[in-house]
Amino acid sequence: AAQSADGFAGVSALGLTGTTGGVAGPTVTVTTAAQLRDYAGRNSPYVLLLSGRIAFDGMITVVADKSILGVGSTAEITGGGLQLGSTTRPGNNVVIRNIRFTDASDDSISVTNRAHHVWIDHCDFSQGYDGLLDIKRESDYVTVSWNHFHDHSKACLLGHNDSYTADRGKLRVTYHHNFFDGTDQ
């Protein structure tokens, strides 16, 4: 797997020289939803090593300068999902890699609220309630690479809706080497 973001996530723009995630901060291992929620929401860089299966309902907000990296072949988020950014706290400069997402009660990952410089790489997405991966609401400079989307109807949403004109000039997203298998839309 590549060690640095390519495509739009690798572009220097909006004050960033590509997507580096939490490399400037400490590395911690998370094994529970409470730990993931705590570290993902902190206002400083972190590399979060997600170990094992973490189950929760709803969405955990991931704020700027985070890397969430699955450890080994058993890293999984089930029942809930990750939302990059909120209306008051940006989800910029985020890397998500090597995680299986299953049975989300909403979206598995939602890149939203002007989040930029996001790299989602080598993940497995299946059987959620809504979208497996939504990129919307003025998000920009995103790369979605080497992922497996399967066994679900709504795979990837790009853009909020046709009448949301604030997305114009944004939504620069690179998709490459993704496998869509048993996905209707």
Side-chain angles (χ1 to χ4, degrees):
Q3 295 303 307
S4 61
D6 59 1
F8 279 116
V11 170
S12 294
L14 303 174
L16 295 175
T17 57
T19 303
T20 58
V23 297
T27 298
V28 296
T29 298
V30 295
T31 58
T32 69
Q35 291 171 330
L36 179 59
R37 186 178 321 285
D38 175 27
Y39 286 106
R42 291 188 183 189
N43 287 325
S44 55
Y46 276 95
V47 175
L48 307 179
L49 301 179
L50 193 145
S51 181
R53 186 175 202 247
I54 297 180
F56 58 92
D57 189 38
M59 302 294 280
I60 288 178
T61 300
V62 179
V63 299
D65 304 317
K66 301 296 181 294
S67 295
I68 304 176
L69 312 175
V71 176
S73 62
T74 61
E76 179 180 5
I77 291 177
T78 187
L82 302 176
Q83 177 173 305
L84 278 57
S86 68
T87 55
T88 58
R89 300 175 71 203
N92 307 333
N93 192 31
V94 173
V95 175
I96 300 172
R97 298 182 83 186
N98 194 40
I99 300 171
R100 180 182 317 114
F101 291 86
T102 59
D103 299 319
S105 56
D106 193 350
D107 297 330
S108 294
I109 297 179
S110 180
V111 181
T112 189
N113 298 316
R114 299 182 181 144
H116 63 84
H117 288 88
V118 173
W119 184 27
I120 300 166
D121 182 63
H122 282 85
C123 292
D124 184 286
F125 297 89
S126 67
Q127 301 171 339
Y129 172 74
D130 194 13
L132 295 177
L133 173 57
D134 289 3
I135 302 169
K136 59 190 179 184
R137 294 188 180 273
E138 303 174 64
S139 295
D140 214 357
Y141 298 103
V142 179
T143 296
V144 179
S145 56
W146 297 98
N147 298 290
H148 184 197
F149 298 92
H150 59 99
D151 302 309
H152 186 71
S153 179
K154 301 178 203 173
C156 294
L157 173 71
L158 180 56
H160 181 64
N161 64 41
D162 291 342
S163 63
Y164 191 75
T165 58
D167 278 341
R168 291 183 185 151
K170 308 273 196 275
L171 300 175
R172 287 170 276 219
V173 179
T174 301
Y175 292 91
H176 72 81
H177 294 93
N178 297 291
F179 179 33
F180 293 88
D181 178 24
T183 54
D184 299 329
Q185 52 183 316

PDB file of all heavy atoms in Angstrom, residues 62-75:
ATOM      1  N   VAL A  62     -14.931  12.744  13.742  1.00  0.00           N
ATOM      2  CA  VAL A  62     -13.472  12.764  13.615  1.00  0.00           C
ATOM      3  C   VAL A  62     -13.086  14.183  13.220  1.00  0.00           C
ATOM      4  O   VAL A  62     -13.548  14.687  12.199  1.00  0.00           O
ATOM      5  CB  VAL A  62     -12.989  11.761  12.546  1.00  0.00           C
ATOM      6  CG1 VAL A  62     -11.472  11.810  12.409  1.00  0.00           C
ATOM      7  CG2 VAL A  62     -13.480  10.359  12.853  1.00  0.00           C
ATOM      8  N   VAL A  63     -12.249  14.830  14.030  1.00  0.00           N
ATOM      9  CA  VAL A  63     -11.831  16.194  13.714  1.00  0.00           C
ATOM     10  C   VAL A  63     -10.422  16.194  13.126  1.00  0.00           C
ATOM     11  O   VAL A  63      -9.790  15.148  12.991  1.00  0.00           O
ATOM     12  CB  VAL A  63     -11.954  17.128  14.940  1.00  0.00           C
ATOM     13  CG1 VAL A  63     -13.404  17.198  15.410  1.00  0.00           C
ATOM     14  CG2 VAL A  63     -11.046  16.714  16.061  1.00  0.00           C
ATOM     15  N   ALA A  64      -9.944  17.353  12.782  1.00  0.00           N
ATOM     16  CA  ALA A  64      -8.730  17.531  11.982  1.00  0.00           C
ATOM     17  C   ALA A  64      -7.507  16.800  12.528  1.00  0.00           C
ATOM     18  O   ALA A  64      -7.344  16.619  13.730  1.00  0.00           O
ATOM     19  CB  ALA A  64      -8.425  19.023  11.862  1.00  0.00           C
ATOM     20  N   ASP A  65      -6.657  16.412  11.575  1.00  0.00           N
ATOM     21  CA  ASP A  65      -5.327  15.871  11.843  1.00  0.00           C
ATOM     22  C   ASP A  65      -5.359  14.529  12.559  1.00  0.00           C
ATOM     23  O   ASP A  65      -4.712  14.341  13.597  1.00  0.00           O
ATOM     24  CB  ASP A  65      -4.473  16.886  12.631  1.00  0.00           C
ATOM     25  CG  ASP A  65      -4.378  18.224  11.933  1.00  0.00           C
ATOM     26  OD1 ASP A  65      -4.183  18.236  10.702  1.00  0.00           O
ATOM     27  OD2 ASP A  65      -4.519  19.264  12.609  1.00  0.00           O
ATOM     28  N   LYS A  66      -6.090  13.590  11.981  1.00  0.00           N
ATOM     29  CA  LYS A  66      -6.169  12.246  12.552  1.00  0.00           C
ATOM     30  C   LYS A  66      -5.845  11.209  11.483  1.00  0.00           C
ATOM     31  O   LYS A  66      -6.226  11.337  10.324  1.00  0.00           O
ATOM     32  CB  LYS A  66      -7.577  11.943  13.082  1.00  0.00           C
ATOM     33  CG  LYS A  66      -8.088  12.868  14.155  1.00  0.00           C
ATOM     34  CD  LYS A  66      -7.276  12.808  15.426  1.00  0.00           C
ATOM     35  CE  LYS A  66      -7.806  13.711  16.513  1.00  0.00           C
ATOM     36  NZ  LYS A  66      -7.721  15.139  16.242  1.00  0.00           N
ATOM     37  N   SER A  67      -5.163  10.148  11.919  1.00  0.00           N
ATOM     38  CA  SER A  67      -5.010   8.933  11.129  1.00  0.00           C
ATOM     39  C   SER A  67      -5.693   7.832  11.926  1.00  0.00           C
ATOM     40  O   SER A  67      -5.383   7.646  13.107  1.00  0.00           O
ATOM     41  CB  SER A  67      -3.543   8.565  10.923  1.00  0.00           C
ATOM     42  OG  SER A  67      -2.880   9.545  10.156  1.00  0.00           O
ATOM     43  N   ILE A  68      -6.600   7.120  11.294  1.00  0.00           N
ATOM     44  CA  ILE A  68      -7.257   5.985  11.933  1.00  0.00           C
ATOM     45  C   ILE A  68      -6.891   4.774  11.092  1.00  0.00           C
ATOM     46  O   ILE A  68      -7.357   4.622   9.960  1.00  0.00           O
ATOM     47  CB  ILE A  68      -8.782   6.178  12.035  1.00  0.00           C
ATOM     48  CG1 ILE A  68      -9.090   7.488  12.779  1.00  0.00           C
ATOM     49  CG2 ILE A  68      -9.415   4.980  12.742  1.00  0.00           C
ATOM     50  CD1 ILE A  68     -10.562   7.830  12.854  1.00  0.00           C
ATOM     51  N   LEU A  69      -6.011   3.946  11.638  1.00  0.00           N
ATOM     52  CA  LEU A  69      -5.398   2.860  10.888  1.00  0.00           C
ATOM     53  C   LEU A  69      -5.728   1.524  11.536  1.00  0.00           C
ATOM     54  O   LEU A  69      -5.453   1.317  12.722  1.00  0.00           O
ATOM     55  CB  LEU A  69      -3.878   3.052  10.859  1.00  0.00           C
ATOM     56  CG  LEU A  69      -3.373   4.450  10.474  1.00  0.00           C
ATOM     57  CD1 LEU A  69      -1.860   4.521  10.611  1.00  0.00           C
ATOM     58  CD2 LEU A  69      -3.824   4.820   9.076  1.00  0.00           C
ATOM     59  N   GLY A  70      -6.310   0.628  10.760  1.00  0.00           N
ATOM     60  CA  GLY A  70      -6.612  -0.698  11.268  1.00  0.00           C
ATOM     61  C   GLY A  70      -5.350  -1.510  11.456  1.00  0.00           C
ATOM     62  O   GLY A  70      -4.433  -1.467  10.635  1.00  0.00           O
ATOM     63  N   VAL A  71      -5.299  -2.269  12.547  1.00  0.00           N
ATOM     64  CA  VAL A  71      -4.165  -3.130  12.856  1.00  0.00           C
ATOM     65  C   VAL A  71      -4.502  -4.548  12.398  1.00  0.00           C
ATOM     66  O   VAL A  71      -5.502  -5.124  12.813  1.00  0.00           O
ATOM     67  CB  VAL A  71      -3.869  -3.124  14.370  1.00  0.00           C
ATOM     68  CG1 VAL A  71      -2.750  -4.094  14.699  1.00  0.00           C
ATOM     69  CG2 VAL A  71      -3.522  -1.720  14.842  1.00  0.00           C
ATOM     70  N   GLY A  72      -3.682  -5.108  11.523  1.00  0.00           N
ATOM     71  CA  GLY A  72      -3.885  -6.480  11.067  1.00  0.00           C
ATOM     72  C   GLY A  72      -5.135  -6.639  10.220  1.00  0.00           C
ATOM     73  O   GLY A  72      -5.628  -5.693   9.618  1.00  0.00           O
ATOM     74  N   SER A  73      -5.673  -7.855  10.186  1.00  0.00           N
ATOM     75  CA  SER A  73      -6.822  -8.166   9.326  1.00  0.00           C
ATOM     76  C   SER A  73      -8.141  -8.189  10.080  1.00  0.00           C
ATOM     77  O   SER A  73      -9.179  -8.488   9.492  1.00  0.00           O
ATOM     78  CB  SER A  73      -6.605  -9.520   8.653  1.00  0.00           C
ATOM     79  OG  SER A  73      -6.511 -10.529   9.646  1.00  0.00           O
ATOM     80  N   THR A  74      -8.154  -7.837  11.366  1.00  0.00           N
ATOM     81  CA  THR A  74      -9.387  -7.924  12.151  1.00  0.00           C
ATOM     82  C   THR A  74      -9.930  -6.571  12.588  1.00  0.00           C
ATOM     83  O   THR A  74     -10.891  -6.516  13.366  1.00  0.00           O
ATOM     84  CB  THR A  74      -9.170  -8.803  13.399  1.00  0.00           C
ATOM     85  OG1 THR A  74      -8.157  -8.195  14.215  1.00  0.00           O
ATOM     86  CG2 THR A  74      -8.773 -10.218  13.012  1.00  0.00           C
ATOM     87  N   ALA A  75      -9.359  -5.488  12.130  1.00  0.00           N
ATOM     88  CA  ALA A  75      -9.835  -4.160  12.526  1.00  0.00           C
ATOM     89  C   ALA A  75     -11.199  -3.918  11.895  1.00  0.00           C
ATOM     90  O   ALA A  75     -11.355  -3.975  10.672  1.00  0.00           O
ATOM     91  CB  ALA A  75      -8.848  -3.089  12.093  1.00  0.00           C
TER      92      ALA A  75
END
